[in-house]
Amino acid sequence: MNNGSARIAGAIVTYGFVGLMAFLSIFPFVWMLLGATNSSIDIIKGKMLPGSALATNISTFFTQVNAPLVFWNSAKIAILATALTLAVSSLAGYGFEMFRSRRRDRIYSALLLTMMIPFAALMIPLFIMMGKVGLINTHLAVVLPSIGSAFVVFYFRQCTKAFPSELRDAAKVDGLKEWQIFLYIYVPVMRSTYAAAFIIVFMTAWNNYLWPLIVLQSNETKTITLVISSLASAYYPDYGVVMVGTILATLPTLAVFFFMQRQFVQGMLGSVK
Amino acid sequence: MALAHRGGIGRYYNINGWLFVAPALGLIALFMIYPILWSLWMSFQSGRGMMLKFAGFANIVRLWNDPVFIKALTNTMTYFVVQVPIMILLALILASLLNNPRLVGRGFFRTAIFLPCVTSLVAYSVLFKGMFALDGIVNSTLEAVGIIASPIPWLTHPFWAKVLVIIAITWRWTGYNMIFYLAAMQNIDKSIYEVARIDGVPAWARFTHITIPLLKPVILFTTVISTIGTIQLFDEVYNLTEGKGGPSNATLTLSLYIYNLTFRFMPNFGYAATVSYVIVVLVALLASLQFFAARERDR
């Protein structure tokens, strides 16, 4: 085989492989969209053409599920958890980086180890704790344990390294207090860091499953993720309705991804670069 | 730093330092450190519900005589041993192919392969459960192409159910790992590849002798992250198998077993806490093993 045909063969293999992987990655999304337009039987039989059941599926979804309430629950939890996590973590990241001391550096190293703690080892004590203070079946019980996150603190500390210290020195000369420097200078300067962290924390909170499954026991408090899960685990799940649910649950994160792709990837990468 | 030790200003500096980090430290102490110590204490206790009494090592002895635990442990290890290497290798290959600036449409390919990362674990598990149904789209396609003669019982056969879980996790996380490698490849000097190419080093050798050694820190990082994630596997298995880990516990994971012990069967917090510490030990052990292995190879 001469050099030219070897190169062509290489290109065919490359494009074939990458193309196949891209196809397999996208296929479930296409299947989900088509599924929403078909009846449950057609979906399970693997029909890959648009059907006429979209209106039926949507109306069944809205009669089976109190959609506005479920979405409100998900949004409330995700927004509250994200706002508090960002506030607490950026304060800590700023504090660890700007006010270095040997003791705090040591605590910081220990803090990073908590990233390895598996949630399964926390859920029983957390459940008992929430029971004792009467927070079972409240959204507060979902939000509270998620605020303190070593990963997000780590992310903010790494990004704070790029914060120009001249800005801080100048503000000090102007007589600003430490909290004023943080609030009026650090926060606006670091907005792209906040944007990336927002996306990643919001997505985690929106998609959170195991802990809400444990603490949210009544239908009035359930989130969209819990609702899809219970729709799909019925003995004979109505897949058309399930598809409508998964589309609605995926839409917010999908929208964020397409409109803020750069920050999205930056947030995913954390501070590995 | 010198300022920190000079009287009044130093104290002001120090107090501010503590004030900034205090909320995060307090929350992590209350919702992570305290519970993790409590469940360690609990693992030495036994009893029903909240009526626990000290039992010494009884729970640990019980682990070894519990076939369901052994099954959950074996399954979890199988997922980890099979899935993580496949996914990391696949992500590395994809990243090095997509890093080639001459590849037409690589922006599209990147976005497409990354797309699974935006789905929730529950949503994609539900989709996979439908796609891999006995007469579902996957089986009918494989039959039409002629790869299989009769439908594969993805959800009801112990072996194929495990394969399905592995396929599902690989679908969800390969693109995630790929972007870490793509980001790291931006920092590799392109001329290294040019020189190697001119010297006639074949593509595969360039991949194993240049790309992989230079990416080692990132590969290590993603391997640790994936290990921690796989050992804690819950959402996917719960939603693919209606919360049972079936067929006949073939897909049961440690996390799902803990959930069942605590919230499905007659609650036994002490024993469940012991199982949860198996995960703690596994994660710590495997993560340090990977760091150690990477450091040894450096020498």
Side-chain angles (χ1 to χ4, degrees):
Chain A
M1 200 159 38
N2 65 34
N3 206 359
S5 63
R7 188 172 298 164
I8 292 171
I12 291 174
V13 171
T14 303
Y15 281 101
F17 179 68
V18 176
L20 179 69
M21 288 300 146
F23 171 76
L24 293 177
S25 299
I26 298 178
F27 181 77
F29 291 94
V30 178
W31 191 75
M32 170 175 82
L33 290 174
L34 289 176
T37 70
N38 280 308
S39 68
S40 194
I41 298 161
D42 282 342
I43 296 168
I44 286 302
K45 279 185 180 157
K47 185 180 166 196
M48 279 307 290
L49 291 166
S52 53
L54 180 63
T56 324
N57 289 337
I58 291 176
S59 74
T60 318
F61 178 81
F62 279 89
T63 47
Q64 283 186 5
V65 176
N66 186 350
L69 179 68
V70 166
F71 266 94
W72 166 240
N73 291 342
S74 276
K76 189 167 99 184
I77 290 174
I79 289 168
L80 204 61
T82 312
L84 291 169
T85 308
L86 291 197
V88 165
S89 310
S90 60
L91 279 170
Y94 180 83
F96 277 119
E97 185 56 30
M98 288 299 174
F99 304 90
R100 308 261 326 246
S101 82
R102 196 173 299 158
R103 200 180 287 174
R104 270 190 298 276
D105 277 354
R106 224 175 272 157
I107 291 179
Y108 180 74
S109 309
L111 200 66
L112 294 186
L113 283 179
T114 64
M115 276 197 249
M116 292 211 296
I117 295 179
F119 183 74
L122 302 176
M123 65 189 189
I124 304 165
L126 282 178
F127 183 73
I128 300 174
M129 280 163 75
M130 292 303 168
K132 276 189 178 155
V133 291
L135 286 180
I136 297 293
N137 224 352
T138 66
H139 294 143
L140 203 56
V142 180
V143 172
L144 280 176
S146 72
I147 303 169
S149 156
F151 175 74
V152 187
V153 173
F154 170 74
Y155 177 64
F156 271 102
R157 181 176 185 176
Q158 291 300 105
C159 293
T160 304
K161 289 185 200 292
F163 178 70
S165 57
E166 303 85 55
L167 279 180
R168 190 160 163 258
D169 296 338
K172 266 193 178 159
V173 172
D174 288 346
L176 262 70
K177 294 200 171 60
E178 291 294 349
W179 66 268
Q180 290 173 315
I181 299 176
F182 178 83
L183 204 60
Y184 301 132
I185 298 174
Y186 177 84
V187 175
V189 168
M190 304 296 282
R191 38 176 201 281
S192 77
T193 302
Y194 277 93
F198 176 89
I199 291 169
I200 202 75
V201 177
F202 181 85
M203 214 172 91
T204 312
W206 180 269
N207 291 337
N208 194 4
Y209 180 63
L210 175 52
W211 181 235
L213 177 71
I214 294 168
V215 283
L216 300 181
Q217 293 163 346
S218 77
N219 280 333
E220 287 71 44
T221 55
K222 284 199 165 125
T223 61
I224 180 74
T225 312
L226 293 175
V227 167
I228 302 174
S229 168
S230 65
L231 282 178
S233 63
Y235 201 72
Y236 287 111
D238 185 335
Y239 270 101
V241 176
V242 172
M243 292 303 144
V244 173
T246 44
I247 290 174
L248 291 175
T250 316
L251 227 47
T253 51
L254 206 61
V256 169
F257 171 66
F258 277 113
F259 290 118
M260 304 177 76
Q261 205 162 343
R262 201 172 51 80
Q263 288 93 333
F264 194 99
V265 171
Q266 197 197 333
M268 282 263 175
L269 289 171
S271 24
V272 175
K273 285 179 281 182
Chain B
M1 273 296 246
L3 269 180
H5 302 290
R6 238 189 285 148
I9 297 174
R11 218 174 69 200
Y12 171 78
Y13 174 96
N14 203 26
I15 288 174
N16 267 302
W18 288 118
L19 285 178
F20 274 100
V21 301
L25 287 185
L27 285 161
I28 290 175
L30 183 60
F31 294 114
M32 288 194 99
I33 310 292
Y34 175 60
I36 195 79
L37 294 176
W38 188 357
S39 59
L40 180 64
W41 168 239
M42 237 185 251
S43 69
F44 291 105
Q45 295 178 307
S46 187
R48 281 182 179 175
M50 289 298 290
M51 308 206 295
L52 294 169
K53 55 177 188 291
F54 191 75
F57 292 100
N59 285 325
I60 297 172
V61 175
R62 182 174 162 187
L63 281 182
W64 298 116
N65 302 315
D66 178 358
V68 183
F69 165 73
I70 301 290
K71 191 126 199 182
L73 180 67
T74 332
N75 292 342
T76 307
M77 293 306 278
T78 311
Y79 293 140
F80 154 66
V81 171
V82 178
Q83 196 268 332
V84 175
I86 292 179
M87 176 181 66
I88 300 279
L89 191 65
L90 197 59
L92 271 170
I93 294 173
L94 284 169
S96 54
L97 291 176
L98 293 180
N99 194 42
N100 179 359
R102 277 176 304 228
L103 191 85
V104 180
R106 64 185 187 136
F108 165 76
F109 288 130
R110 277 183 193 192
T111 307
I113 292 171
F114 182 68
L115 209 55
C117 290
V118 307
T119 60
S120 78
L121 303 183
V122 172
Y124 94 82
S125 306
V126 165
L127 290 180
F128 270 64
K129 192 179 156 202
M131 284 172 13
F132 285 82
L134 193 63
D135 44 4
I137 181 77
V138 173
N139 273 336
S140 56
T141 308
L142 289 177
E143 277 180 286
V145 180
I147 295 175
I148 54 171
S150 57
I152 295 174
W154 295 103
L155 293 157
T156 49
H157 186 282
F159 172 77
W160 292 110
K162 275 198 201 70
V163 174
L164 172 57
V165 172
I166 288 169
I167 293 176
I169 316 171
T170 309
W171 179 81
R172 173 65 170 72
W173 294 103
T174 302
Y176 174 81
N177 288 291
M178 185 188 75
I179 59 157
F180 281 93
Y181 304 144
L182 278 170
M185 282 171 181
Q186 303 294 308
N187 300 330
I188 299 180
D189 189 354
K190 296 269 185 302
S191 58
I192 301 175
Y193 288 103
E194 281 309 309
V195 171
R197 242 161 52 92
I198 293 163
D199 284 351
V201 179
W204 183 253
R206 289 201 296 270
F207 178 68
T208 53
H209 291 289
I210 301 175
T211 310
I212 289 185
L214 284 174
L215 290 189
K216 207 166 80 176
V218 194
I219 296 176
L220 177 68
F221 175 81
T222 51
T223 311
V224 173
I225 295 268
S226 308
T227 304
I228 296 176
T230 314
I231 288 179
Q232 297 188 52
L233 197 64
F234 177 87
D235 297 15
E236 287 89 340
V237 176
Y238 189 95
N239 284 290
L240 282 168
T241 65
E242 284 109 29
K244 295 188 196 78
S248 58
N249 292 334
T251 56
L252 188 73
T253 61
L254 290 171
S255 289
L256 184 50
Y257 188 42
I258 296 165
Y259 176 85
N260 285 341
L261 281 173
T262 319
F263 302 105
R264 176 162 295 172
F265 310 145
M266 176 62 86
N268 187 335
F269 292 142
Y271 187 55
T274 312
V275 179
S276 78
Y277 255 80
V278 173
I279 303 187
V280 175
V281 172
L282 273 180
V283 166
L285 216 62
L286 288 166
S288 41
L289 203 70
Q290 280 160 350
F291 274 113
F292 185 71
R295 194 178 293 169
E296 278 302 290
R297 236 176 292 151
D298 255 348
R299 293 190 181 144

